[in-house]
Amino acid sequence: MIPADFAYYAPTSLDEALALLGQYGDDAKLLAGGHSLLPALKLRLTAIGHLIDLGRISSLAYIREDQGKLCLGTRTTHYEVETSALLQQRCPLLAECASRIGDVQVRNRGTLGGSLAHADPAADYPAAILALEAEIQAVSAGGKRGIKAEEFFVDLLTTALRPGEILTEVRVPPHAAHTGGAYVKVPQPASGFAVVGVAALVTLDAEGQCAAVRVGVTGAAAKAFRARDTETALTGRMPDDGTLAQAAARATTGIETSGDIFASAEYRAHLTRVYTKRALAKAVERAR
Ligand SMILES: Cc1cc2nc3c(=O)[nH]c(=O)nc-3n(C[C@H](O)[C@H](O)[C@H](O)COP(=O)(O)OP(=O)(O)OC[C@H]3O[C@@H](n4cnc5c(N)ncnc54)[C@H](O)[C@@H]3O)c2cc1C
């Protein structure tokens, strides 16, 4: 339980952190809340020569509105996302998702950027980030780029982040008028990680039909995904109980669900369909 030796750096600016990352390359790691990285170092699943702590870069911790988007610095903790009045009012789906992460200690320490960069297949944020069609910004010595949520999650613990890049900001659109969002999950009993988690965002038109539907699923497979067939099946339809059930039944079409000691692949597929219907029903209720 003792990590291999490493040098520790505590930069106070993004430029300083980027310079250190450029200098030490593959032999360096960024530290945010440390909830995933420190156990990996202590268990010696990973070893590095240089640890760059982002904890003193205060410019990476904020939640604000900018040019019609809600912008979150990546050092923002889950607790800050959960309790943000701006998010609760303008993007309650993201605040609700953060409120379902682990327990209060985990939410006080874990960060949005650390969670996204780690890309744990059972992490909660990816479901909401996908449903919200967020943009994730990364900065390197070469400049800044935006990555669409759907392109960000590449595989198990693998993202589109390139060597030398630091995640700096997540940009989400506020909920449109007559839109409801909901995040529901089956938590793993010990850690709270999602055995399955589903985020749904539904916009209703003047007749009460589904004008837009987006569903993000986490925990069910090696990486989080959009339940596209469900979205298509519901768009343009009246969201009555039968239609929601039919649409939710397609949530795992084309998806290879994962099995482990907590749930077999078949059970995860079943849970995904059941929780997709629950998330959709709640989102519709909130949109009305
Ligand atoms: C007991 C326990 C229960 C948990 N339960 C849940 C749960 O229910 N749901 C859930 O979603 N999560 C859960 N987590 C995960 C936790 O909430 C954190 O989100 C997660 O550990 C990573 O965030 P962190 O800030 O701790 O990142 P760290 O552990 O510091 O870093 C993780 C990885 O991200 C990289 N990184 C960090 N910041 C950046 C950045 N800005 N740019 C690029 N790379 C970066 C690091 O180099 C590292 O590789 C749990 C963790 C614990 C310990």
Side-chain angles (χ1 to χ4, degrees), residues 117-121 155-159 222:
H118 190 57
D120 192 302
D155 205 343
L156 187 91
L157 304 176
T158 309
T159 69

Side-chain angles (χ1 to χ4, degrees), residues 85-127:
L86 180 65
L87 292 176
Q88 285 173 353
Q89 204 185 354
R90 311 285 311 280
C91 189
L93 173 59
L94 194 56
E96 181 173 50
C97 182
S99 78
R100 305 300 318 279
I101 295 175
D103 54 30
V104 75
Q105 289 96 328
V106 169
R107 293 197 292 279
N108 264 308
R109 190 79 208 156
T111 67
L112 176 60
S115 177
L116 295 179
H118 190 57
D120 192 302
D124 292 288
Y125 280 131

Side-chain angles (χ1 to χ4, degrees), residues 21-91:
L21 202 53
Q23 189 176 346
Y24 298 114
D26 284 351
D27 199 25
K29 274 264 183 206
L30 300 168
L31 176 72
H35 268 168
S36 294
L37 185 55
L38 293 185
L41 289 172
K42 286 185 168 189
L43 293 167
R44 301 207 178 200
L45 296 171
T46 188
I48 36 119
H50 305 272
L51 189 67
I52 305 166
D53 188 350
L54 301 175
R56 285 177 183 77
I57 307 179
S58 51
S59 62
L60 286 177
Y62 57 87
I63 302 174
R64 60 179 173 238
E65 194 160 3
D66 177 39
Q67 298 180 343
K69 291 281 165 73
L70 302 168
C71 306
L72 296 89
T74 46
R75 235 204 67 207
T76 307
T77 63
H78 311 325
Y79 178 76
E80 287 162 341
V81 177
E82 171 190 4
T83 56
S84 157
L86 180 65
L87 292 176
Q88 285 173 353
Q89 204 185 354
R90 311 285 311 280
C91 189

